[in-house]
Amino acid sequence: MNENIENLYRQVIMDHYKNPRNKGLVGYPHVHIKNPSCGDDITIEALIENGVVKNIRQNGSGCSICCSSASVMSEVLKGKTVEKAQELIGKYYDLLKGQTIENADELDEALVYQGVSKFPARIKCATISWKAMEKLINGEHDE
Ligand code: ZN
């Protein structure tokens, strides 16, 4: 990957880290996940109605990869149908495995995490909020 793209990706990550979108919980069904190896601690809430992800809220603390990816995930998946969200989640996991994916631009700003595939220890940081969202979409949530 060339240096300019890496710089751009870093800027997007730092922007979401410093100015997180959809931050703060409002009481929708939620899933809480921790990543002890890094101290990441994230709660994702989702309002899913009539097969559509109507709203996503996120809160937590952790490293820049973890916190920024929760913000990016909330923007990318909000407003999508459940089927589309599931498809995009699968694509995101493939991206982080270093696989080539079709219609990659559908992932929008989540594409900036493709470089994480080179750092296996950080993949959990980049996927924790997406795993929480995947559970919510599948109808699972914490009490
Ligand atoms: Zn982390």
Side-chain angles (χ1 to χ4, degrees), residues 68-132:
S68 65
S69 65
S71 172
V72 169
M73 180 280 291
S74 71
E75 292 273 279
V76 171
L77 298 184
K78 192 161 80 169
K80 299 290 192 292
T81 63
V82 164
E83 290 79 27
K84 192 69 192 177
Q86 282 168 330
E87 183 193 328
L88 292 175
I89 291 168
K91 279 189 180 188
Y92 182 73
Y93 294 160
D94 288 345
L95 179 81
L96 287 178
K97 287 181 203 147
Q99 294 175 3
T100 305
I101 52 175
E102 284 176 33
N103 301 321
D105 53 347
E106 286 184 334
L107 282 174
D108 204 344
E109 287 193 317
L111 279 175
V112 303
Y113 297 95
Q114 68 184 129
V116 175
S117 63
K118 287 180 281 181
F119 305 99
R122 307 311 297 280
I123 290 175
K124 192 157 185 195
C125 302
T127 52
I128 185 169
S129 61
W130 292 73
K131 297 264 183 208

Side-chain angles (χ1 to χ4, degrees), residues 35 37-40 62-67 121-122 124-126 128:
N35 173 15
S37 67
C38 184
D40 301 328
C63 68
S64 58
I65 299 279
C66 166
C67 292
R122 307 311 297 280
K124 192 157 185 195
C125 302
I128 185 169

Side-chain angles (χ1 to χ4, degrees), residues 4-5 12 30 32 39 50-52 62 66 68 79 109-110 118-119 141:
N4 288 337
I5 290 179
V12 171
H30 70 277
H32 176 215
N50 304 320
V52 175
C66 166
S68 65
E109 287 193 317
K118 287 180 281 181
F119 305 99
H141 61 83

Side-chain angles (χ1 to χ4, degrees), residues 31-35 40-44 124 127-133 135 142:
V31 168
H32 176 215
I33 305 190
K34 287 184 183 181
N35 173 15
D40 301 328
D41 186 317
I42 286 283
T43 301
I44 303 295
K124 192 157 185 195
T127 52
I128 185 169
S129 61
W130 292 73
K131 297 264 183 208
M133 189 62 202
K135 283 190 174 189
D142 299 348

